[in-house]
Amino acid sequence: MTREDLSFVGSAGMTLLRLTFLGTSAAQPTLHRNLSGLAVKADADLLLFDCGEGSQRQMVRYGTGFTVDAVFFTHFHADHYLGIIGFLRTLGMMGRAQPVRLYGPPTAKRVLHQAVHLGVEQLAFPVEIHELKDGDSVRREGYTVHAVGVDHRINALGYVLAEDDRPGRFHLEKAKALGVPPGPDFGRLQKGESVTLPDGTTVRPEDVLGAPRSGRRLVISGDTRPCASLTRAAKDADLLIHESTFSDDEQERALETRHSTAREAARVAHEAGVRRLILTHLSSRHDTDPSKLLVQAREEFKGPVEVAHDGLTVEVPLRD
């Protein structure tokens, strides 16, 4: 797959960007933490990033709804994707008719085809499976999801959800001074369209709008060692969600399994200059008391940092 638009035409930015953590445990579920899953509400869209076993129950529990447009898998270790089997069956029983799009790194077509067709008759709605590699992107309305190659034991991706730049602020007094009548022409100018006044004068958007405002950027590491590709992708991100499976005293295990410690995740956040860091994908030994992870991360990253828990809901505010 090339770096291409996968069938959606965008517009300038979004209003809502809300995240709900469905699962924050690594490798195995615990009494308090489910396997990996993140629901992202991006205006009208509902996206999933990974779908560990039990994700659909978490969606009921935390009220995300089931109107999922696309699922992005970071990799195909079982704890990150087996939940898609039951989730698709549930959508079928609910009368789903619209397509569901599934994205992931190579082996996605083979692995997900097997999952989609496991043990049941044909689903009543289309399931589209797309493989992504480092540098590919998926265009959606008002934003783009970029795939970033990361460093794990198998082929794996992180993802960047990048909102379109938003138009500059509308200067009402400038518009009035140029003779633009209040009403629909104000809206056209704000949308980037020129308007022609009754006397034949053309007023361009740049005549009444300030400089474009940067869109929000959400970065999801998936399972990975700290790596330059993700650090670059996370530059100046509004929020970095980075795995932090281990603490300092488990560094050797982190290297062996190609995971990160909380301190290493925080270093990535510091080097990338992100605005906020959330740690997730915790080893069971940190299940009920992740305080050690938080202390070690805060020694490396001075911005806001927290440890995710199942059900944590975060809204990423507009930059202005």
Side-chain angles (χ1 to χ4, degrees):
M1 184 174 294
T2 59
R3 297 180 176 91
E4 58 185 0
D5 179 318
L6 293 177
S7 80
F8 291 88
V9 176
S11 64
M14 305 176 292
T15 301
L16 178 66
L17 183 55
R18 178 191 297 140
L19 294 65
T20 302
F21 287 83
L22 304 176
T24 56
S25 183
Q28 60 188 21
T30 71
L31 182 62
H32 305 282
R33 297 178 184 272
N34 198 62
L35 296 171
S36 292
L38 178 70
V40 176
K41 184 66 173 173
D43 271 356
D45 286 356
L46 179 61
L47 312 177
L48 292 184
F49 289 86
D50 286 332
C51 189
E53 187 178 357
S55 288
Q56 62 173 323
R57 182 179 181 276
Q58 299 292 83
M59 295 171 75
V60 173
R61 183 179 184 185
Y62 300 125
T64 64
F66 275 19
T67 56
V68 171
D69 299 279
V71 185
F72 293 86
F73 295 95
T74 61
H75 65 295
F76 294 108
H77 279 151
D79 57 315
H80 288 257
Y81 84 93
L82 283 184
I84 196 62
I85 299 171
F87 177 64
L88 292 175
R89 300 295 166 269
T90 297
L91 292 184
M93 288 187 287
M94 294 174 67
R96 172 88 179 210
Q98 298 82 11
V100 175
R101 295 173 174 86
L102 308 180
Y103 301 93
T107 74
K109 289 186 177 180
R110 175 177 60 82
V111 171
L112 292 176
H113 179 83
Q114 292 172 343
V116 168
H117 296 91
L118 183 62
V120 297
E121 66 279 2
Q122 182 72 30
L123 290 168
F125 57 90
V127 177
E128 302 174 8
I129 301 173
H130 303 276
E131 291 188 349
L132 301 174
K133 61 181 183 299
D134 177 48
D136 284 345
S137 61
V138 179
R139 182 69 185 148
R140 302 288 299 185
E141 182 70 24
Y143 66 94
T144 302
V145 178
H146 302 281
V148 182
V150 295
D151 178 9
H152 194 41
R153 285 173 289 164
I154 62 173
N155 200 358
L157 296 171
Y159 291 102
V160 179
L161 190 158
E163 181 184 24
D164 294 352
D165 284 349
R166 299 165 57 232
R169 291 189 179 279
F170 183 75
H171 296 295
L172 180 63
E173 295 307 318
K174 286 186 178 180
K176 290 181 176 178
L178 291 170
V180 181
D185 283 346
F186 278 13
R188 295 188 183 98
L189 287 164
Q190 288 176 301
K191 292 177 182 178
E193 302 173 13
S194 296
V195 299
T196 301
L197 303 181
D199 65 1
T201 301
T202 297
V203 179
R204 301 167 301 172
E206 55 265 35
D207 296 330
V208 296
L209 296 179
R213 294 169 286 176
S214 297
R216 291 162 287 186
R217 298 180 66 249
L218 164 67
V219 181
I220 300 163
S221 75
D223 287 10
T224 183
R225 290 288 299 147
C227 57
S229 58
L230 189 70
T231 301
R232 288 193 299 269
K235 187 70 173 175
D236 194 35
D238 294 82
L239 174 60
L240 169 62
I241 299 171
H242 201 294
E243 72 122 297
S244 56
T245 311
F246 299 113
S247 61
D248 286 354
D249 54 357
E250 302 161 292
Q251 181 69 64
E252 184 175 340
R253 182 68 175 151
L255 288 165
E256 177 186 347
T257 59
R258 310 310 294 168
H259 284 293
S260 297
T261 67
R263 185 180 299 278
E264 289 172 326
R267 285 175 182 161
V268 172
H270 172 73
E271 291 171 10
V274 306
R275 301 182 178 205
R276 182 178 181 183
L277 170 65
I278 298 181
L279 306 175
T280 190
H281 198 267
L282 276 58
S283 166
S284 58
R285 69 190 66 191
H286 304 292
D287 179 27
T288 59
D289 183 13
S291 58
K292 182 186 294 187
L293 302 180
L294 194 56
V295 167
Q296 292 168 0
R298 284 176 171 165
E299 290 175 354
E300 302 292 331
F301 178 65
K302 302 311 178 185
V305 56
E306 62 193 294
V307 177
H309 58 80
D310 289 16
L312 174 65
T313 299
V314 175
E315 289 203 18
V316 181
L318 294 170
R319 290 198 167 196
D320 52 2

